[in-house]
Each structure stands twice: as structure tokens, then as C-alpha cells.
């Protein structure tokens, strides 16, 4: 008798704003899969993992109901679904396994440019077009105001212009959609990023083992994306000041330079943004050959 090895099932957005980043994350984690065809379930050929490609809005429910073990979804969709399910008495528990550094946006209230905004109370009794009624109502409750809403799944930004609503409650990233539609952002009600979530029910030991291999890779990719490898030549007598200027908490590696008694090579992994201003300060200290390079993978 042959037994089939359990496979970890991960839900991802089929197409849209999170799908390219999710696909790139899987690739950088070394997962070999073919996402070019239209199949719902894509098999990873080098690990016991299946990727289910669905609409973003279906992902929280699929994980909460245990149809998928894990999912990658925006916190906005996750929180809205959890609130909606709580209200309906359906399963709404999940575990946030890790926060990912893509899909950043905010859910905001926006009003026509000409609206005289005088603080949150001036929104009392108004009507908002939104895809996120639960998050909108929770915010209104927490701030002691009453709002009405009309549910729209797309083109939310046109609602005030066509007389459907007074304002909107929608996702914003650059703000250009609001500007193009004569709207101004008046309140940020929720900040969101993509997250990796998993079922509230513990995974079987076999599936947990697969996740224990995958998770450090995901964290390594995230950390590498936020980090830079910095190399420079520094005057030997300025090492203390140079180290002080290095971003992050890593101790720099100091290496001798062939044929130079006055200079050393300084290498460091920076986990914070390395600004042009810092490079200019290093140059002013007598440093040269300052290189800032991306890191592909990190572990440990
Ligand atoms: O897959 P499904 O169709 O169910 O989901 P969806 O319609 O939410 O898909 P999609 O691809 O539009 O968004 C997927 C997720 O991307 C969202 O749930 C957010 O977590 C994240 N995200 C990040 C965004 C944005 N940024 C964003 N700017 N989702 C939508 N927008 C839209 C916004 O609704 C508005 O229309 O972009 C416009 C505003 O953008 P700016 O740059 O002009 O401010």
C-alpha cells in the first residue's frame, strides 16, 4: 500500500496587486512552480506544497474554514472578513504567521475638495461608498459618530460625483486616484500590508515540518529585501566615527587593504535605510569607494 505525503496548501491572489509580489516571494524562496496555466491548484515540484490561486477576498475564508493551510492576503481584506464573519457567527479565527513587506496601503475616508472638514464629528450622519463597511462602521463606533454606507466593489472614487454618496472609504497608496477625482483624504482609518496567515487549528506534524522549512526562507527573503550590504574604504584613524555612522546594529567587518597602511576596508550589513546624507558624511571623513548593494538571501 502506498501512502501519499501530505502537501501544504497555500492560497494566493490569482491576479491583481498582490499576485506579482507573492509570486516573486515564492520564487525567491526557491519554490519551483508553473503559474502560467489557468489551473486552480499549482503544484510545487521541489517541495510538498500546492498553491491555490483565487480572488483576494476569498483567501481569509478559505484559511478560516481550513480549506487552505495558509494564505497571503492584505490585512484590510483579512480584518474586514473577520469582522463580517464574527457578525454572522461563522468561523473567524486565524493566526498571523508573519507580516510581509509588500502591498502597503491605507484605508481612508475622503471627501470632495470643497467639503469643509472640521474634524471627525463633521462626518456625522454622512453616507460613504465603500468595499469595507465593517471597518468603516467600527471606526465610526470608536469615534462616536453615525455613518451610512453604500457597498461598491469597484470605482468607489466616482460615487460622490454621481450623487451616490457624500464621501468614500477606500484604499489609498499614492493618493493620485483621489486627486484625479477631486477628493481629499481626511482620516486614515486602517493601515495595511500583506500578511501570511494560517489556520487556527494546529497543522499536522508533517505539514508543520514543511512550514518550518518554508518560514525561515520567507523571513530571510523579507530581511534581505530590507537590508543592504555596504562596502567602503576608510581612513584607519577614523574607524570609530565611520562605525558610528553605519545604519543598523551589525558590527562592521574591518579588513586590511593590500599595500595601504592608512586605509582599511569596512563591510557591514545595514538593516536600516542608508541615506545619501550618510554617504556624504562618510566621504567628508575621507572614505572612498562607497558601495551599497542589494542582498538576495539571508539566514541566521
Ligand atoms: O482579488 P480580488 O479582486 O478579490 O481583490 P481586490 O479587488 O482587492 O484586488 P486588488 O488587486 O485591487 O487589491 C489587492 C490588495 O492589494 C488589496 O486588498 C490591498 O491589500 C492591496 N493594495 C495596495 C491595494 C492598493 N495598494 C491600492 N492602491 N488595493 C487597491 N488599491 C486601489 C484603491 O482601491 C484605489 O482604487 O488603488 C487605487 C488607489 O491607488 P493610488 O495609488 O492612486 O492611491
Amino acid at each position: 500500500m502506498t501512502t501519499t505525503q501530505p502537501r501544504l496548501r497555500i492560497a494566493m491572489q490569482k491576479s491583481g496587486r498582490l499576485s506579482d509580489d507573492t509570486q516573486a516571494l515564492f520564487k525567491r524562496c526557491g519554490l519551483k512552480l508553473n503559474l502560467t496555466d489557468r489551473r486552480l491548484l499549482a503544484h510545487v515540484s521541489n517541495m510538498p506544497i500546492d498553491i491555490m490561486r483565487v480572488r483576494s477576498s476569498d483567501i481569509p475564508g478559505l484559511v478560516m474554514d481550513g480549506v487552505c493551510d495558509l494564505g497571503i492576503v492584505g490585512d484590510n481584506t483579512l480584518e474586514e472578513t473577520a469582522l463580517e464573519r464574527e457578525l454572522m457567527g461563522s468561523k473567524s479565527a486565524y493566526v498571523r504567521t508573519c507580516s510581509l513587506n509588500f502591498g502597503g496601503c491605507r484605508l481612508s475616508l475622503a471627501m470632495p475638495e470643497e467639503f469643509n472638514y472640521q474634524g471627525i464629528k463633521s462626518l456625522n450622519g454622512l453616507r460613504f461608498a465603500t468595499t469595507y463597511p465593517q471597518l468603516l462602521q467600527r471606526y465610526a463606533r470608536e469615534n462616536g459618530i453615525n455613518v451610512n454606507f453604500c457597498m461598491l466593489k469597484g470605482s468607489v472614487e466616482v460615487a460622490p460625483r454621481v450623487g451616490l454618496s457624500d464621501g468614500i472609504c477606500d484604499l489609498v497608496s499614492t493618493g493620485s486616484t483621489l486627486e484625479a477625482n477631486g477628493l481629499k483624504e481626511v482620516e486614515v482609518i486602517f493601515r495595511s500590508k500583506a500578511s501570511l496567515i494560517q489556520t487556527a487549528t494546529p497543522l499536522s506534524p508533517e505539514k508543520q515540518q514543511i512550514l518550518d522549512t518554508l518560514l525561515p526562507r520567507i523571513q530571510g527573503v523579507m530581511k534581505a529585501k530590507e537590508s543592504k550590504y555596504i562596502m567602503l574604504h576608510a581612513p584607519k584613524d577614523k574607524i570609530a566615527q565611520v562605525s558610528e555612522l553605519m545604519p543598523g546594529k551589525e558590527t562592521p567587518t574591518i579588513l586590511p587593504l593590500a599595500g595601504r597602511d592608512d586605509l582599511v576596508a569596512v563591510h557591514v550589513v545595514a538593516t536600516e535605510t542608508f541615506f545619501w546624507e550618510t554617504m556624504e558624511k562618510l566621504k567628508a571623513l575621507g572614505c572612498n569607494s562607497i558601495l551599497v548593494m542589494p542582498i538576495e538571501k539571508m539566514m541566521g
Side-chain angles (χ1 to χ4, degrees):
M1 200 179 81
T2 54
T3 50
T4 49
Q5 193 189 359
R7 298 177 69 84
L8 199 67
R9 187 179 286 173
I10 310 177
M12 70 169 273
Q13 189 189 28
K14 188 178 168 68
S15 68
R17 287 170 186 264
L18 300 181
S19 57
D20 285 353
D21 283 317
T22 306
Q23 213 169 311
L25 172 66
F26 289 152
K27 197 172 169 200
R28 294 186 77 189
C29 286
L31 269 55
K32 291 205 173 100
L33 75 166
N34 178 4
L35 289 176
T36 52
D37 62 29
R38 287 163 163 258
R39 276 181 305 175
L40 174 69
L41 219 53
H43 291 262
V44 175
S45 61
N46 58 342
M47 280 179 88
I49 296 175
D50 291 331
I51 306 296
M52 190 186 263
R53 291 178 298 163
V54 291
R55 292 194 67 155
S56 211
S57 44
D58 291 333
I59 295 175
L62 288 168
V63 174
M64 289 164 186
D65 289 336
V67 177
C68 292
D69 304 301
L70 296 132
I72 291 181
V73 67
D75 294 335
N76 51 307
T77 311
L78 189 56
E79 192 67 7
E80 179 69 21
T81 311
L83 292 172
E84 195 181 283
R85 284 183 154 234
E86 270 168 35
L87 202 71
M88 287 162 49
S90 323
K91 278 188 190 173
S92 61
Y94 66 91
V95 173
R96 190 190 311 275
T97 317
C98 81
S99 188
L100 305 168
N101 52 8
F102 59 82
C105 58
R106 53 196 189 270
L107 183 66
S108 292
L109 301 181
M111 299 302 294
E113 285 293 353
E114 60 281 7
F115 181 79
N116 179 21
Y117 184 67
Q118 303 265 323
I120 184 78
K121 299 287 182 219
S122 56
L123 303 179
N124 196 28
L126 299 187
R127 182 177 167 87
F128 289 84
T130 190
T131 317
Y132 300 92
Q134 302 303 330
L135 287 168
L136 169 66
Q137 286 172 297
R138 183 175 73 181
Y139 184 80
R141 268 196 311 275
E142 286 171 358
N143 285 279
I145 57 166
N146 283 311
V147 291
N148 302 308
F149 70 89
C150 62
M151 179 80 179
L152 281 184
K153 291 271 182 188
S155 304
V156 175
E157 61 281 353
V158 302
R161 212 176 339 133
V162 297
L164 253 179
S165 66
D166 300 297
I168 68 166
C169 170
D170 197 17
L171 299 174
V172 182
S173 41
T174 62
S176 56
T177 304
L178 293 184
E179 203 183 318
N181 287 281
L183 298 167
K184 62 181 176 194
E185 193 173 0
V186 295
E187 294 287 333
V188 174
I189 73 168
F190 189 81
R191 292 199 184 268
S192 177
K193 270 186 180 181
S195 285
L196 174 71
I197 56 161
Q198 70 182 85
T199 53
T201 318
L203 296 173
S204 67
E206 294 87 350
K207 286 188 177 181
Q208 186 59 50
Q209 209 176 347
I210 308 167
L211 181 58
D212 289 346
T213 306
L214 181 63
L215 197 54
R217 292 192 190 184
I218 292 179
Q219 286 160 339
V221 170
M222 292 298 123
K223 207 169 159 202
K225 207 169 154 190
E226 287 160 5
S227 306
K228 295 277 178 281
Y229 195 79
I230 300 166
M231 289 165 67
L232 53 91
H233 293 171
K236 224 175 189 171
D237 57 350
K238 297 278 170 44
I239 291 177
Q241 287 125 293
V242 168
S243 303
E244 192 70 16
L245 281 172
M246 291 299 182
K249 294 168 197 72
E250 299 277 332
T251 317
T253 305
I254 314 286
L255 301 162
L257 277 174
R260 295 294 298 258
D261 286 337
D262 55 334
L263 288 178
V264 286
V266 179
H267 292 198
V268 71
V269 173
T271 49
E272 293 165 15
T273 313
F274 193 60
F275 295 106
W276 281 105
E277 288 77 4
T278 312
M279 290 175 84
E280 284 152 10
K281 283 182 192 162
L282 288 166
K283 195 155 184 297
L285 281 173
C287 298
N288 60 45
S289 305
I290 309 170
L291 300 179
V292 181
M293 290 169 292
I295 297 172
E296 194 177 305
K297 295 185 180 79
M298 280 175 96
M299 197 171 268

